[in-house]
Amino acid sequence: MNQKPTLKVLAEKLQLSTSTVSKALKDSAEISIDTKTRVKELAKLMGYRPNTAAASLRNRETRTIAVVLPEIVNDFFGQVLMGIEEEASQHNYKIVICISNESYIKERDYIEMFSNGAVDGFIIAASMETQELNQYEHYNDILNSDLKLVMFDRVIDDLDCDKIIVDDAASGSRLVDFLKKKGDRNLCVASTISKLSVGQLREKGIRLKVDNCPDLKLEYVLEDEDDIFMKKMEETLTSKKTDAIIALDQRSGIMALNKAKELDIKVPEQLQIICYSNSTMAKYSYPQLTVVDQHSKELGKKTFTRILNLMKNKDEVQVTRIHTLKTTLLERGTTRK
Amino acid sequence: MNQKPTLKVLAEKLQLSTSTVSKALKDSAEISIDTKTRVKELAKLMGYRPNTAAASLRNRETRTIAVVLPEIVNDFFGQVLMGIEEEASQHNYKIVICISNESYIKERDYIEMFSNGAVDGFIIAASMETQELNQYEHYNDILNSDLKLVMFDRVIDDLDCDKIIVDDAASGSRLVDFLKKKGDRNLCVASTISKLSVGQLREKGIRLKVDNCPDLKLEYVLEDEDDIFMKKMEETLTSKKTDAIIALDQRSGIMALNKAKELDIKVPEQLQIICYSNSTMAKYSYPQLTVVDQHSKELGKKTFTRILNLMKNKDEVQVTRIHTLKTTLLERGTTRK
DNA sequence: ATGAAAGCGCTAACAT
DNA sequence: ATGTTAGCGCTTTCAT
């Protein structure tokens, strides 16, 4: 039980005042080199660590960001979190994590819980429920306080805050081009996330493109219950002559692949599959799924950098920015060369 | 920019002292019902939220726990984290997350960073490097302070702290029994985690059991590089007449299954596969992998409950406890009925 | 170059 | 039942 030394303890040992010690540790120009060295040496020796609570109280900043995620057992959010965390720890920031579990209420409660000087800002991806209800007063509460807010991936269109997203619509369009060049004509969009903004954007990009190509046809399998999804997918694959599936999320991608195997459809020879999100599951499927890589970790880093800037330039007028990251297609085993 | 009200502000508006207000909000018996009601009403109206930094400073407790995880893009750790988080938020605790990325140095740095009154305790699963180096002075630093420590899953044997683990050795032994009953004789242990305590325990349980059954044979494919693993697995599956694979982690399990498909070995008719950890990947493989369910979320909840108890009973003498959770076999598509 | 003093917001021992 | 006061550990303004 070695007691944590405080400024006061250091000051007493060195026969100095706490303010001198404080300044010395901060390398203030007011303090003599000699004193600085003595102070720092003792501080190191005694393992002095400034008390965060006291510093927060005094400085009105916690160096802590709350990250609100819909789920955590999910490679995409896990990777984003990694990026956020890496960037944060590099800047000596802490990350507290809140899992909304796709629930609006939990999200709102978390925001309330941390809106009391516990954190300096929020990084949020909206829960499914929030996007369905289109209810976002709780986000406005943040914006009306002096806390910062950056949203990523699952964002609210009408909300005037900083957003980091990927080129969902544009990427959808590119995928159609890609498949068309390979000779595919009958495409199918599969999704378990049609309730989400990102799902809708991806679908929209695809649909607009297909509408512009008279020779292309588009089917849909939209369903978030696994069993029903599998049934609908079976119907589509047996009754239509589907050439390719674009899966808007990893779950629908892997299920489509499994159904194809079950029906003895050769992938990619008879059926190509492209799937959103570069997940572990996609990497270890057989054959490896061709995926749209969202560079999730990079997205996380960008998101943190953005909120860091908001906090640094407190007084300057901020231009609300929407930052769009470009995705890339990772061609693997479920598409033809 | 509505300013956050403080106790002082409430007190002024109500013509009371801050201490009365503070006590009223805490439902102190000293305060009249009438006053309590008035105070609470105004507090609610003005959206009063106690300042966490001030409370921490004053109470010497942060109601925050640091969770140090080797990785986060990993269903097991994700599920554990969910459990921890759920339990924590129920008790009005915050969770800050630290990702060691399997690095000893990062782990040590995090512990140092938070050992200054930023948190009340640590929940840790040791990084691979820490387990390899068998270096755990940083954990002792925690134990020598007044901070609490609970380890889970990846624990250090020689360390005298609370631990929550699963019955790795016993479960290994049970798996052998299970396979033997199905008539399998040539078993193979596959693992990408032989450096980890859990991997070693599982292997040990299996080996001891096999040694006791003269009719059983045991092969090994231990390798953490994907490509090399696949090569070694191919050798084993073609040259030996392996009846069943016990994969000590999800990655080796899915790779074994993929290799079997590649070699046109029928699963589970010709080869059974059992795999540790109930992951999304295992659930969406084809066929679905039979897995050892570690009840990870429950494990997370237990872990938090344990540290909560340590914090509540500060003064009582604590008996260091090792809590072992029982795993269950989830029979699915890669084992025969 | 150093120190004294005030105060961040809260709590609790000690008056009244 | 309510109020006064001191202090948690730190920073910063203002002396000296």
Side-chain angles (χ1 to χ4, degrees), chain A residues 24-71:
Chain A
L25 287 172
K26 292 218 136 46
D27 251 330
S28 156
E30 292 179 28
I31 307 297
S32 72
I33 308 276
D34 186 50
T35 308
K36 280 188 199 169
T37 336
R38 283 175 59 223
V39 170
K40 285 182 189 166
E41 263 170 16
L42 185 67
K44 187 158 195 182
L45 184 71
M46 299 189 64
Y48 169 77
R49 312 242 69 212
N51 179 307
T52 357
S56 295
L57 183 55
R58 172 69 224 219
N59 299 335
R60 275 103 203 309
E61 67 157 21
T62 60
R63 295 192 83 82
T64 304
I65 299 295
V67 179
V68 186
L69 300 175
E71 40 172 345

Side-chain angles (χ1 to χ4, degrees), chain B residues 235-302:
Chain B
E235 265 172 48
T236 302
L237 287 180
T238 49
S239 69
K240 324 277 174 186
K241 36 207 172 348
T242 312
D243 298 315
I245 293 174
I246 301 177
L248 305 189
D249 62 284
Q250 50 160 320
R251 201 150 55 92
S252 55
I254 197 81
M255 285 198 286
L257 178 59
N258 286 343
K259 182 50 86 179
K261 281 184 214 165
E262 205 185 299
L263 299 174
D264 256 322
I265 299 171
K266 296 272 168 289
V267 177
E269 294 80 2
Q270 300 169 262
L271 177 73
Q272 299 200 88
I273 302 178
I274 299 176
C275 163
Y276 270 84
S277 221
N278 188 7
S279 63
T280 318
M281 204 149 85
K283 183 178 170 194
Y284 288 97
S285 69
Y286 183 79
Q288 283 195 339
L289 274 162
T290 289
V291 295
V292 177
D293 191 337
Q294 305 182 86
H295 308 293
S296 344
K297 191 172 164 188
E298 209 46 48
L299 197 159
K301 288 183 155 222
K302 281 255 167 33

Side-chain angles (χ1 to χ4, degrees), chain B residues 74-77 79-80 152-154 164-168 171 193 198-199 202 248-250 275-279 291-300 324-330:
Chain B
N74 173 313
D75 284 8
F76 172 70
F77 288 118
Q79 284 159 13
V80 173
F152 76 90
D153 190 60
R154 303 219 203 143
I164 316 283
I165 51 176
V166 299
D167 60 347
D168 282 307
S171 70
I193 56 162
V198 286
R202 289 166 196 173
L248 305 189
D249 62 284
Q250 50 160 320
C275 163
Y276 270 84
S277 221
N278 188 7
S279 63
V291 295
V292 177
D293 191 337
Q294 305 182 86
H295 308 293
S296 344
K297 191 172 164 188
E298 209 46 48
L299 197 159
T324 307
L325 292 177
K326 206 157 181 303
T327 57
T328 38
L329 186 66
L330 214 63

Side-chain angles (χ1 to χ4, degrees), chain B residues 3 41 68 75 82 91 93 97 129 132 141 217 246 255 257-258 279 314 317 329:
Chain B
Q3 211 37 54
E41 264 170 16
V68 186
D75 284 8
M82 261 186 80
H91 290 89
Y93 266 79
I97 108 132
E129 213 184 346
E132 276 188 282
D141 290 346
K217 266 196 172 166
I246 301 177
M255 285 198 286
L257 178 59
N258 286 343
S279 63
K314 274 186 193 122
V317 178
L329 186 66

